[in-house]
Amino acid sequence: MITLLLLLAACLLTCMGQVSQKFAVERWRDLPDGWALKLRSPWLWSALVCLGLGLLVWLLVLQRLEVGIAYPMLSLNFVLVTLVARFVFHEPVDGRHWLGVALVIGGVVLLGRHV
């Protein structure tokens, strides 16, 4: 059970890091050119913290699961990021993309039977 929670935490932290990256670059559009202000972005630092913690949790996952099982489970990030892209950033997602999301979920369910 703890392995599944760690795997879920790694996925969520990685997703939050990617979403924070998107928020950071969205906010950068309003800033003047130059890196000094951009490097002070709280969203950038949030991304770095989330991705760093996600890496540490991922290392714990790899201690408990075979990489052939664990790594495909990270494809849940595609699902989570797609949902955020659609419902937070209002990006268009076509039917083919939703089919891909469904296939990823099916694959994770199949692999999850081995955990």
Side-chain angles (χ1 to χ4, degrees), residues 7-20:
L7 187 56
L8 181 61
C11 286
L12 290 174
L13 284 166
T14 305
C15 178
M16 288 183 343
Q18 293 166 352
V19 170
S20 293

PDB file of all heavy atoms in Angstrom, residues 7-20:
ATOM      1  N   LEU A   7       4.018   6.103  -5.217  1.00  0.00           N
ATOM      2  CA  LEU A   7       3.902   6.259  -6.662  1.00  0.00           C
ATOM      3  C   LEU A   7       2.930   7.378  -7.009  1.00  0.00           C
ATOM      4  O   LEU A   7       3.211   8.226  -7.870  1.00  0.00           O
ATOM      5  CB  LEU A   7       3.444   4.938  -7.285  1.00  0.00           C
ATOM      6  CG  LEU A   7       3.427   4.839  -8.796  1.00  0.00           C
ATOM      7  CD1 LEU A   7       4.787   5.165  -9.387  1.00  0.00           C
ATOM      8  CD2 LEU A   7       3.014   3.445  -9.205  1.00  0.00           C
ATOM      9  N   LEU A   8       1.819   7.429  -6.320  1.00  0.00           N
ATOM     10  CA  LEU A   8       0.850   8.500  -6.528  1.00  0.00           C
ATOM     11  C   LEU A   8       1.455   9.859  -6.157  1.00  0.00           C
ATOM     12  O   LEU A   8       1.268  10.852  -6.868  1.00  0.00           O
ATOM     13  CB  LEU A   8      -0.418   8.236  -5.721  1.00  0.00           C
ATOM     14  CG  LEU A   8      -1.529   9.262  -5.875  1.00  0.00           C
ATOM     15  CD1 LEU A   8      -2.009   9.341  -7.327  1.00  0.00           C
ATOM     16  CD2 LEU A   8      -2.693   8.935  -4.953  1.00  0.00           C
ATOM     17  N   ALA A   9       2.194   9.907  -5.063  1.00  0.00           N
ATOM     18  CA  ALA A   9       2.838  11.161  -4.649  1.00  0.00           C
ATOM     19  C   ALA A   9       3.848  11.621  -5.695  1.00  0.00           C
ATOM     20  O   ALA A   9       3.922  12.815  -6.012  1.00  0.00           O
ATOM     21  CB  ALA A   9       3.521  10.978  -3.294  1.00  0.00           C
ATOM     22  N   ALA A  10       4.624  10.696  -6.249  1.00  0.00           N
ATOM     23  CA  ALA A  10       5.594  11.056  -7.290  1.00  0.00           C
ATOM     24  C   ALA A  10       4.876  11.630  -8.507  1.00  0.00           C
ATOM     25  O   ALA A  10       5.307  12.641  -9.078  1.00  0.00           O
ATOM     26  CB  ALA A  10       6.430   9.834  -7.675  1.00  0.00           C
ATOM     27  N   CYS A  11       3.771  11.007  -8.901  1.00  0.00           N
ATOM     28  CA  CYS A  11       2.998  11.499 -10.044  1.00  0.00           C
ATOM     29  C   CYS A  11       2.424  12.886  -9.770  1.00  0.00           C
ATOM     30  O   CYS A  11       2.515  13.785 -10.608  1.00  0.00           O
ATOM     31  CB  CYS A  11       1.868  10.532 -10.385  1.00  0.00           C
ATOM     32  SG  CYS A  11       2.399   9.036 -11.195  1.00  0.00           S
ATOM     33  N   LEU A  12       1.835  13.059  -8.594  1.00  0.00           N
ATOM     34  CA  LEU A  12       1.223  14.348  -8.256  1.00  0.00           C
ATOM     35  C   LEU A  12       2.258  15.460  -8.140  1.00  0.00           C
ATOM     36  O   LEU A  12       2.038  16.578  -8.634  1.00  0.00           O
ATOM     37  CB  LEU A  12       0.416  14.226  -6.968  1.00  0.00           C
ATOM     38  CG  LEU A  12      -0.864  13.415  -7.060  1.00  0.00           C
ATOM     39  CD1 LEU A  12      -1.498  13.246  -5.679  1.00  0.00           C
ATOM     40  CD2 LEU A  12      -1.853  14.047  -8.025  1.00  0.00           C
ATOM     41  N   LEU A  13       3.393  15.169  -7.517  1.00  0.00           N
ATOM     42  CA  LEU A  13       4.441  16.193  -7.393  1.00  0.00           C
ATOM     43  C   LEU A  13       4.997  16.577  -8.756  1.00  0.00           C
ATOM     44  O   LEU A  13       5.223  17.758  -9.035  1.00  0.00           O
ATOM     45  CB  LEU A  13       5.565  15.692  -6.477  1.00  0.00           C
ATOM     46  CG  LEU A  13       5.243  15.706  -4.987  1.00  0.00           C
ATOM     47  CD1 LEU A  13       6.253  14.879  -4.207  1.00  0.00           C
ATOM     48  CD2 LEU A  13       5.191  17.137  -4.474  1.00  0.00           C
ATOM     49  N   THR A  14       5.203  15.590  -9.612  1.00  0.00           N
ATOM     50  CA  THR A  14       5.708  15.873 -10.954  1.00  0.00           C
ATOM     51  C   THR A  14       4.693  16.690 -11.744  1.00  0.00           C
ATOM     52  O   THR A  14       5.048  17.656 -12.430  1.00  0.00           O
ATOM     53  CB  THR A  14       6.039  14.558 -11.682  1.00  0.00           C
ATOM     54  OG1 THR A  14       6.954  13.802 -10.891  1.00  0.00           O
ATOM     55  CG2 THR A  14       6.656  14.821 -13.033  1.00  0.00           C
ATOM     56  N   CYS A  15       3.428  16.324 -11.638  1.00  0.00           N
ATOM     57  CA  CYS A  15       2.379  17.070 -12.324  1.00  0.00           C
ATOM     58  C   CYS A  15       2.310  18.505 -11.809  1.00  0.00           C
ATOM     59  O   CYS A  15       2.237  19.458 -12.590  1.00  0.00           O
ATOM     60  CB  CYS A  15       1.038  16.371 -12.143  1.00  0.00           C
ATOM     61  SG  CYS A  15      -0.334  17.251 -12.922  1.00  0.00           S
ATOM     62  N   MET A  16       2.350  18.667 -10.477  1.00  0.00           N
ATOM     63  CA  MET A  16       2.297  20.017  -9.913  1.00  0.00           C
ATOM     64  C   MET A  16       3.506  20.837 -10.364  1.00  0.00           C
ATOM     65  O   MET A  16       3.383  22.037 -10.611  1.00  0.00           O
ATOM     66  CB  MET A  16       2.237  19.942  -8.385  1.00  0.00           C
ATOM     67  CG  MET A  16       0.904  19.456  -7.892  1.00  0.00           C
ATOM     68  SD  MET A  16       0.626  19.395  -6.085  1.00  0.00           S
ATOM     69  CE  MET A  16       2.207  19.476  -5.352  1.00  0.00           C
ATOM     70  N   GLY A  17       4.647  20.192 -10.496  1.00  0.00           N
ATOM     71  CA  GLY A  17       5.831  20.887 -10.992  1.00  0.00           C
ATOM     72  C   GLY A  17       5.659  21.356 -12.424  1.00  0.00           C
ATOM     73  O   GLY A  17       6.014  22.484 -12.774  1.00  0.00           O
ATOM     74  N   GLN A  18       5.084  20.514 -13.257  1.00  0.00           N
ATOM     75  CA  GLN A  18       4.856  20.885 -14.650  1.00  0.00           C
ATOM     76  C   GLN A  18       3.818  21.990 -14.774  1.00  0.00           C
ATOM     77  O   GLN A  18       3.966  22.914 -15.577  1.00  0.00           O
ATOM     78  CB  GLN A  18       4.437  19.646 -15.450  1.00  0.00           C
ATOM     79  CG  GLN A  18       5.556  18.633 -15.559  1.00  0.00           C
ATOM     80  CD  GLN A  18       5.075  17.278 -16.037  1.00  0.00           C
ATOM     81  OE1 GLN A  18       3.887  17.015 -16.160  1.00  0.00           O
ATOM     82  NE2 GLN A  18       6.024  16.385 -16.300  1.00  0.00           N
ATOM     83  N   VAL A  19       2.781  21.920 -13.961  1.00  0.00           N
ATOM     84  CA  VAL A  19       1.758  22.962 -13.979  1.00  0.00           C
ATOM     85  C   VAL A  19       2.349  24.284 -13.479  1.00  0.00           C
ATOM     86  O   VAL A  19       2.070  25.347 -14.038  1.00  0.00           O
ATOM     87  CB  VAL A  19       0.529  22.538 -13.151  1.00  0.00           C
ATOM     88  CG1 VAL A  19      -0.439  23.686 -12.965  1.00  0.00           C
ATOM     89  CG2 VAL A  19      -0.164  21.348 -13.824  1.00  0.00           C
ATOM     90  N   SER A  20       3.185  24.215 -12.461  1.00  0.00           N
ATOM     91  CA  SER A  20       3.849  25.425 -11.969  1.00  0.00           C
ATOM     92  C   SER A  20       4.738  26.038 -13.044  1.00  0.00           C
ATOM     93  O   SER A  20       4.823  27.262 -13.158  1.00  0.00           O
ATOM     94  CB  SER A  20       4.672  25.105 -10.723  1.00  0.00           C
ATOM     95  OG  SER A  20       3.841  24.754  -9.642  1.00  0.00           O
TER      96      SER A  20
END
